[in-house]
Amino acid sequence: MKPKLPPLNALRAFEATARLGSVTRAAEELCVTHAAVSRQVKQLESNLGIGLFTRAGRGLTPTPAGEQLLAAASEAFDLIRASTQRIKQPPSNEALTLSCEPTLAMRWLIPRLPTLQTEVPELSLKLVTAGGPVAWREHGIDLAIRRNDFAWDPGVSAWHLADEYVGPVGAPSLQTPFEANTDRLRGVDLLHTRSRPEAWARWSAASGTSLHGSRDIWLEHFHLIIQAAIAGLGWAIASHFMVGSELTTGVLQAPRGFVADGSAYFLLGTETLEADPRKQRMLEWLRAELQAGAAGRD
């Protein structure tokens, strides 16, 4: 005879609370009251005869037993979601909403959307541009492309797409900023962006190049410093993915090439990819396109 399962409503309340780290957020996700979630979690603890959380003020931290149960419950609920999604089979004409960082969307993704339409004609895509934490519910986001320069929200899964490679780029009219036969960058105009304020410092450390006597010019967004570099205003640290066409056509030069800066691009989602074949196909296409671009950076 199989052992009895714990109350499933109580298990669902526990899983949401442990995953989100908050009774309030669990109640919002489950569309029930705060009191109902608290009651169900206490019911589960009573049923099991063991505490599942340590409580300090309003904070909740899963105990070792709670961590073990969370892993099992999350896996079980993911399997159920995937199975029900496969049964429902989302209509092929339903748009998949993808959130992408603005500069990557403008300079890398949008120019490749015709290729996506040709290679994956069954996939209808709705593109939303945004950076940082993802507003999953507010904007109905299915997937998001982000660089790992911030912490993912609890419950978010991340699939690696490609490592980031950066390097100095400037207009062909500019003389090389590097002193001959040295690892020094002489006094030139350096373009900075507030969205990646440490870009020059991180490149300097990664490439072993010292910066001396340069003038700093600050612009608000990443795509603006690339445009300023094209205009000949100064030198910018740019992602190889975002200036590939300009390098090919000679609109920009990259005298020192590109180095990995320690960050990477990821595809984010709140469900397993098995729940929706369109998401798996999107991951495969993005990964192939980005990694092909990375292979041709030198």
Side-chain angles (χ1 to χ4, degrees), residues 10-119:
L11 188 61
R12 185 70 184 91
F14 159 76
E15 187 272 341
T17 301
R19 170 168 48 83
L20 298 172
S22 165
V23 172
T24 300
R25 294 177 66 184
E28 292 174 353
E29 179 177 287
L30 299 175
C31 299
V32 297
T33 65
H34 184 286
V37 172
S38 294
R39 184 170 59 252
Q40 288 170 342
V41 169
K42 290 179 181 178
Q43 177 188 0
L44 181 61
E45 290 179 317
S46 177
N47 179 273
L48 298 175
I50 190 171
L52 299 173
F53 293 100
T54 56
R55 295 169 172 84
R58 295 186 177 182
L60 292 176
T61 303
T63 62
E67 292 282 4
Q68 184 176 348
L69 183 59
L70 172 61
S74 296
E75 182 178 359
F77 286 130
D78 284 344
L79 287 172
I80 293 171
R81 289 190 194 97
S83 296
T84 55
Q85 192 64 43
R86 283 194 295 270
I87 292 170
K88 291 191 298 183
Q89 281 298 321
S92 59
N93 60 350
E94 182 180 335
L96 191 70
T97 302
L98 175 68
S99 172
C100 184
E101 294 182 347
T103 305
L104 187 66
M106 288 187 294
R107 304 196 64 86
W108 184 87
L109 179 59
I110 291 176
R112 287 166 175 77
L113 289 183
T115 302
L116 176 64
Q117 291 177 337
T118 299
E119 296 182 357

Side-chain angles (χ1 to χ4, degrees), residues 25 97-99 132-146 150-159 266-271 279:
R25 294 177 66 184
T97 302
L98 175 68
S99 172
V134 183
W136 299 101
R137 289 187 176 183
E138 293 87 336
H139 298 143
I141 304 301
D142 295 305
L143 295 170
I145 303 174
R146 293 291 189 273
F150 67 97
W152 317 139
D153 290 333
V156 171
S157 297
W159 297 274
F266 288 81
L267 185 66
L268 307 182
T270 57
E271 297 179 348
K279 297 179 181 180

